[in-house]
């Protein structure tokens, strides 16, 4: 590896820490963290699913794809952030996994560090993947891997709370009607909405649907549209529609507030579906509305299946077979059901909705969703995101107006 490539990898190790403070559900560390096994008949797969142990459906799928490709699989599972750092260090040592499944915002960081091969290099067919989901794995006009599934944000609502307040959910179509619904809910003695505005990537993740729903762009944090989005959140706090606790809320604590049964709405993700079923009240889901109507673009969570650069290029053909197996329609349907993900192809999404009608609003939300590193932002995103969450914190705490907070954020990014 030449000197400039090593410098890129070292810089990427620092960058990836910020990016991987992801908004998707976190996992605990896995026990097996051994490096790649030797031998042409063994291929290594690293994934961020330590919750799935040996003998699980996921582990059996990996072994099955290995059998189909004529090789043995050595699987290692890491925590999401740990996996990204391990991948960068392994690349420095020319000891990368054959297949790497990684959180989608990290793909561009690994790609720019020279860790990943392109789909063109390895003839991976991504033609069926929804373009908005595939964009999260694109950098510099090239595609690095294919998504295994996606999750995103939407609005959960408590049917009983809205009924008591006389709100018809079909009337909630834009920011004005959503705010009006909260006013009725407060008048009826309940609470409007809860969300996470914590000063981390999680806060940016939750703010993005409103930011993008205003028509704002991440390259212009201080635009009038961006100011309108932050002003909306500030108005909700000032009116008492949202609690001051949102400033410190994670998505988990925000969900706990909604689960109390006092709130009309909660912004949260597909990973809360199982908890929603246990909440003890009837709920529904609608995509986050745009400022003037329609579905706002929410950020995508979920992983990409990628093929890292290898010193032995003869391994690529088998790695391609493994990735193609893991992401074929039949296996996507099974895997995404297990992970509570929406599939990355229309074909499988239709099958998911046919099997469970409750997934329809989530499929709609994913269709409108957008990758955080899309628009070719790549490694610029972490810095933009950090300034965004700082602006949100500043405005909601009252230390600066939304306009001034976002103005300072844009100056810092520049």
């Amino acid at each position: 590896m030449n000197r400039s490539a090593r410098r890129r990898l070292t810089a990427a190790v620092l960058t990836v820490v910020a990016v991987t403070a992801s908004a998707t559900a976190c996992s605990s560390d896995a026990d097996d963290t051994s490096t790649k096994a030797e031998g042409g008949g063994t291929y290594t797969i690293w994934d961020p699913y330590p919750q799935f142990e040996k003998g699980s459906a996921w582990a059996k799928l990996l072994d099955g794809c290995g059998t189909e490709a004529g090789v043995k699989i050595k699987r290692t599972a890491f925590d999401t952030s740990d996996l990204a750092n391990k991948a960068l260090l392994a690349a420095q040592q020319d000891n990368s996994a054959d297949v790497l499944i990684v959180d989608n915002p990290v793909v561009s960081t690994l790609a720019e560090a020279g860790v990943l091969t392109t789909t063109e290099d390895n003839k991976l067919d991504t033609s069926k993947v929804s373009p908005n989901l595939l964009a999260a794995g694109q950098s510099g006009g090239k595609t690095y891997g294919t998504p295994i599934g996606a999750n995103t944000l939407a609005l959960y609502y408590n049917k009983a709370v809205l009924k008591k307040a006389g709100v018809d959910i079909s009337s909630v179509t834009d920011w004005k009607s959503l705010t009006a619904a909260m006013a009725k809910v407060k008048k009826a003695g309940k609470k409007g909405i809860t969300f996470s505005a914590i000063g981390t990537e999680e806060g940016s993740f939750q703010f993005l649907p409103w930011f993008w729903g205003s028509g704002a762009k991440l390259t212009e944090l201080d635009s009038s549209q961006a100011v309108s989005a932050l002003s909306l959140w500030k108005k909700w706090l000032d009116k008492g529609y949202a609690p001051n606790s949102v400033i410190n809320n994670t998505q988990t604590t925000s969900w706990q507030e909604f689960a109390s049964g006092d709130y009309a709405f909660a912004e949260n993700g597909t990973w809360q579906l199982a908890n929603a079923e246990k909440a003890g009240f009837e709920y529904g889901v609608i995509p986050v509305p745009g400022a003037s109507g329609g579905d706002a673009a929410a950020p995508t969570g979920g992983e990409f299946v990628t093929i890292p650069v290898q010193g032995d290029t003869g391994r690529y053909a088998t790695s391609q077979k493994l990735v193609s197996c893991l992401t074929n329609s039949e296996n996507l349907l099974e895997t995404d059901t297990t992970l509570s993900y929406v599939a990355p192809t229309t074909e499988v999404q239709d099958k998911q909705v046919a099997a469970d009608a409750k997934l329809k609003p989530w499929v709609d939300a994913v269709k409108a969703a957008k990758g955080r590193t899309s628009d070719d932002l790549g490694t610029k995103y972490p810095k933009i995101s950090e300034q965004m969450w700082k602006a949100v914190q500043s405005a909601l705490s009252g230390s600066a107006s939304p306009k001034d907070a976002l103005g300072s954020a844009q100056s810092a990014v520049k």
Side-chain angles (χ1 to χ4, degrees):
M1 184 180 291
N2 63 38
R3 195 176 303 170
S4 64
R6 288 189 182 279
R7 280 200 299 268
R8 290 201 308 272
L9 278 168
T10 301
V13 171
L14 299 176
T15 301
V16 80
V17 175
V19 184
T20 52
S22 180
T24 55
C26 295
S27 305
S28 59
D29 288 324
D31 293 327
D32 180 10
T33 57
S34 54
T35 55
K36 184 168 72 173
E38 295 297 329
T42 299
Y43 276 66
T44 54
I45 296 179
W46 290 3
D47 69 50
Y49 312 129
Q51 69 270 35
F52 298 129
E53 300 177 353
K54 187 175 182 180
S56 66
W58 171 249
K60 289 178 181 177
L61 172 61
L62 297 181
D63 289 338
C65 285
T67 299
E68 190 176 307
V71 298
K72 291 183 179 180
I73 297 300
K74 182 172 181 61
R75 175 216 176 196
T76 305
F78 297 92
D79 174 78
T80 296
S81 58
D82 196 28
L83 173 58
N85 289 319
K86 287 288 196 301
L88 288 162
L89 293 172
Q92 288 179 321
Q93 300 164 359
D94 192 20
N95 191 34
S96 293
D98 292 293
V99 174
L100 177 66
I101 303 172
V102 66
D103 198 18
N104 79 69
V106 180
V107 174
S108 58
T109 300
L110 296 179
E112 290 181 31
V115 175
L116 304 178
T117 63
T118 70
T119 54
E120 184 179 1
D121 292 335
N122 284 297
K123 306 297 187 292
L124 279 176
D125 182 9
T126 59
S127 59
K128 292 184 179 179
V129 178
S130 299
N132 66 316
L133 300 182
L134 193 62
Q138 294 174 327
S139 179
K142 296 180 179 180
T143 303
Y144 298 86
T146 186
I148 198 167
N151 55 28
T152 194
L153 297 166
L155 293 183
Y156 287 86
Y157 63 89
N158 185 318
K159 292 185 177 182
V161 170
L162 291 184
K163 184 177 181 180
K164 180 182 178 183
V167 175
D168 180 353
I169 191 61
S170 66
S171 70
V172 179
T173 58
D174 55 18
W175 292 0
K176 183 178 179 181
S177 55
L178 175 60
T179 303
M182 292 182 202
K184 289 184 178 180
V185 166
K186 184 184 179 186
K187 189 175 181 181
K190 292 291 185 178
K191 301 174 182 178
I193 190 170
T194 178
F195 50 88
S196 168
I198 193 170
T200 66
E201 173 63 19
E202 218 167 339
S204 290
F205 189 81
Q206 287 246 316
F207 183 57
L208 277 172
W210 312 97
F211 182 87
W212 282 332
S214 72
K217 298 178 181 179
L218 285 171
T219 51
E220 299 176 45
L221 292 178
D222 58 349
S223 68
S224 59
Q225 294 95 329
V227 173
S228 72
L230 188 48
S231 296
L232 179 73
W233 271 20
K234 176 60 174 169
K235 176 182 178 180
W236 289 347
L237 264 68
D238 290 345
K239 293 280 189 179
Y241 301 157
N244 288 327
S245 58
V246 299
I247 296 174
N248 297 311
N249 270 349
T250 64
Q251 291 178 117
T252 299
T253 55
S254 172
W255 179 262
Q256 290 167 350
E257 288 179 339
F258 180 66
S260 70
D262 290 331
Y263 287 84
F265 298 98
E267 181 184 359
N268 227 298
T270 46
W271 52 90
Q272 298 291 6
L273 279 171
N275 288 329
E277 293 295 330
K278 302 173 187 175
F281 54 80
E282 284 192 77
Y283 73 93
V285 179
I286 58 171
V288 175
S292 302
D295 298 343
T300 57
E303 288 78 40
F304 264 61
V305 189
T306 67
I307 299 176
V309 172
Q310 299 288 345
D312 179 4
T313 58
R315 301 181 71 84
Y316 291 151
T318 298
S319 296
Q320 190 268 359
K321 290 179 182 178
L322 293 173
V323 175
S324 295
C325 175
L326 290 172
T327 57
N328 68 34
S329 294
E330 182 180 347
N331 288 334
L332 277 178
L333 180 60
E334 183 176 341
T335 300
D336 289 340
T337 299
T338 299
L339 296 172
S340 293
Y341 279 172
V342 171
T345 68
T346 300
E347 175 188 357
V348 182
Q349 288 172 1
D350 290 344
K351 291 179 180 178
Q352 287 182 304
V353 173
D356 184 358
K358 288 183 179 179
L359 289 176
K360 178 65 167 62
W362 292 108
V363 168
D364 290 342
V366 163
K367 285 181 177 179
K370 188 174 181 177
R372 283 164 277 175
T373 58
S374 296
D375 299 329
D376 220 19
L377 288 177
T379 53
K380 298 175 185 174
Y381 174 74
K383 185 174 183 180
I384 294 171
S385 175
E386 181 180 3
Q387 295 307 318
M388 176 184 285
W389 82 58
K390 286 181 176 179
V392 169
Q393 287 270 300
S394 182
L396 296 190
S397 66
S399 62
S401 69
K403 183 177 180 179
D404 290 344
L406 288 168
S408 296
Q410 183 63 22
S411 296
V413 169
K414 286 181 177 179

